[in-house]
Amino acid sequence: MTRPLVAIRSVCKNFGEFQALKSVSLDVWPGEVMCLIGASGSGKTTLLRCVNQLTAIDSGGIWLDGDLLGVREQGGRLHRLSERQIARQRLKTGMVFQRFNLFPHKTALENIVEGPAQVQGRPLDQVRAEAIELLRRVGLAAKAESYPAQLSGGQQQRVAIARALAMKPMLMLFDEPTSALDPELVGEVLAVMKELAQSGMTMMVVTHELGFAREVADRVVYMDQGSIVESGQASDVLGAPREARTRAFLSAVI
Amino acid sequence: MKAAPALAEGFPDLSGMRLAREPHWFRWFGAALIVLVLAAIARAFAGGQIEWSYVSRFLTAKVILEGIVNTMVMAVLAMLLGIVLGVVAAIMRLSPNPVLRSVAAGYTWLFRGTPLILQLLLWFNLALVFPTIGVPGLGSARAVDVMTPFLAALLGLGINQGAYTSEVMRAGMLSVDIGQYEAAQAIGMGRLRALWRIILPQAMRVVIPPIGNEFIGLVKATSLASVIQYPEVLHNAENIYYANSRVIELLIVAGFWYLLVVSVLTPLQMLLERRFARGTMRVAR
């Protein structure tokens, strides 16, 4: 019996009075492509950021590859991990942001090389060769020496995907990767993500692209007001939703 | 298919015409007025009691040239010390650790809160507080021997500069998008590495104009070190006019050198700005 790559148990998160996550539990299995959908403020982005520890959870627990994230249990109490330990746990995940967040003072190639060379301390020529291969994989081999400001939004996001992949993560997290893009640029990013899904990468994708979810996702999770309302195969959740709230959301979106 | 309708009449073709040059009478009048005023001031000085021969004689005198070199050496070293202290203090100010935050805030408070000339005098007269300075086990020395005018000026100017620079640096770091910090974390960087590799290089672009400002201020603030006998250009000019009583002439000499140095610094700042603007230009170079 295999274990889930990500196990989320009773996770709560408040921002002041606002309850962003209300006791969320969820498993993500190795190789699974999961799409998280829902209105803004439903908690889907917060959940993703908790998995990458960019947001600290208030209670509950998240296990990644068997390791409890952010805290250590000792003598019936939880002790916060040091920043260095948290940084090490983050290496197992790759994150792609809505607004790309490429480093503007570095070229596309330097953006990709930065993590493996600086954080993992791997030899530069080997890292560069891998980075060039990654750029080729996302269709941007010719743009290695371009700065982010010289690239279109779709190209920037594809570099951001390559940057995350360069760390050889077990899990890729996508936070609305196409929401900041002009409509004609969405397709090129989705194509890269689709290729990645087919290569067997485990992915959690917060998205509004229901077409992508229907085509690529193994599972679709619908969230509303900080809770998971419905979760299941893409064709079921999107095609024949059981919950009234899911139906209302889908009819409003489509 | 319907034919496109003919264009309406009454709108002549302007494609051959060019924009006429306007005479701008008020600009010419204003410029003439300014030239007149400047000429009047120049005439007043030329006819005033200034021996211009003294100005030209002392402009390149050895003592004056040594003075401007000392001024520049002190300004550069104090600025380097100020930048190091400023970066460290700014990073401490933005730390989650309340002890580090308080230490940095206290440093800024203390050294911005007292006049620079007072700090210079305090450093120079440190021997009155501590007659001997030493590290236990490594030996000690008399404070009067250690605290030379050079060292007192460097500590006074540099530490004071650091307090101001830390606020400039902090503003620069705050100007960098929070997403940059998150992206650095997401590829596994710790706080300090993210600051050093990702945040600070981007902050530099914002920080260079005010740092240039600070440096120009510091070049002139070195003149305060004349009160503690540091032989910078104003101090040396004063020593000459104490002897020959040509006060205004020597002040003009010193003023000329300050102006020249500041004029050279401005294009240098532009070069630095271009270096750190890397990546912000849309068109490839």
Side-chain angles (χ1 to χ4, degrees), chain A residues 194-212:
Chain A
K194 191 174 161 187
E195 186 271 326
L196 192 58
Q198 283 161 353
S199 76
M201 176 63 77
T202 312
M203 294 162 61
M204 290 178 78
V205 185
V206 170
T207 187
H208 296 293
E209 296 290 334
L210 298 185
F212 173 81

Side-chain angles (χ1 to χ4, degrees), chain B residues 51-267:
Chain B
E51 282 291 337
W52 290 97
S53 64
Y54 275 92
V55 174
S56 58
R57 175 142 47 107
F58 282 104
L59 199 58
T60 53
K62 187 160 173 284
V63 193
I64 294 293
L65 293 182
E66 279 170 4
I68 194 68
V69 168
N70 285 339
T71 294
M72 288 316 295
V73 167
M74 180 53 64
V76 168
L77 290 180
M79 194 69 207
L80 288 178
L81 180 59
I83 287 175
V84 170
L85 289 174
V87 169
V88 171
I91 290 176
M92 285 164 70
R93 269 303 271 284
L94 297 174
S95 159
N97 182 334
V99 177
L100 292 181
R101 275 207 309 272
S102 311
V103 169
Y107 164 64
T108 316
W109 170 78
L110 185 63
F111 286 94
R112 284 199 311 181
T114 49
L116 176 55
I117 193 161
L118 183 145
Q119 292 172 33
L120 286 168
L121 289 168
L122 276 177
W123 284 112
F124 190 54
N125 293 304
L126 204 64
L128 299 178
V129 192
F130 309 107
T132 55
I133 304 175
V135 183
L138 279 178
S140 61
R142 292 198 313 147
V144 255
D145 299 335
V146 176
M147 200 48 76
T148 57
F150 174 84
L151 187 61
L154 178 60
L155 289 175
L157 292 166
I159 293 176
N160 181 268
Q161 187 58 47
Y164 285 91
T165 307
S166 74
E167 286 296 277
V168 174
M169 287 292 169
R170 192 164 68 93
M173 289 197 243
L174 289 176
S175 77
V176 178
D177 190 276
I178 184 77
Q180 289 294 311
Y181 190 61
E182 293 186 342
Q185 282 186 304
I187 56 171
M189 286 193 178
R191 220 182 79 80
L192 282 181
R193 199 197 298 268
L195 282 175
W196 189 248
R197 299 273 316 170
I198 305 301
I199 307 297
L200 269 179
Q202 295 182 58
M204 288 311 287
R205 204 170 59 81
V206 183
V207 152
I208 284 171
I211 289 286
N213 221 14
E214 293 282 319
F215 186 58
I216 285 170
L218 183 59
V219 168
K220 291 173 294 176
T222 51
S223 61
L224 291 177
S226 60
V227 301
I228 56 168
Q229 313 304 319
Y230 180 68
E232 48 75 50
V233 66
L234 186 63
H235 182 258
N236 290 0
E238 282 176 335
N239 278 348
I240 297 173
Y241 72 60
Y242 290 150
N244 69 4
S245 300
R246 291 294 168 186
V247 178
I248 297 295
E249 287 81 354
L250 279 146
L251 290 179
I252 290 175
V253 166
F256 167 84
W257 281 108
Y258 283 117
L259 269 177
L260 187 77
V261 165
V262 171
S263 310
V264 172
L265 287 176
T266 310

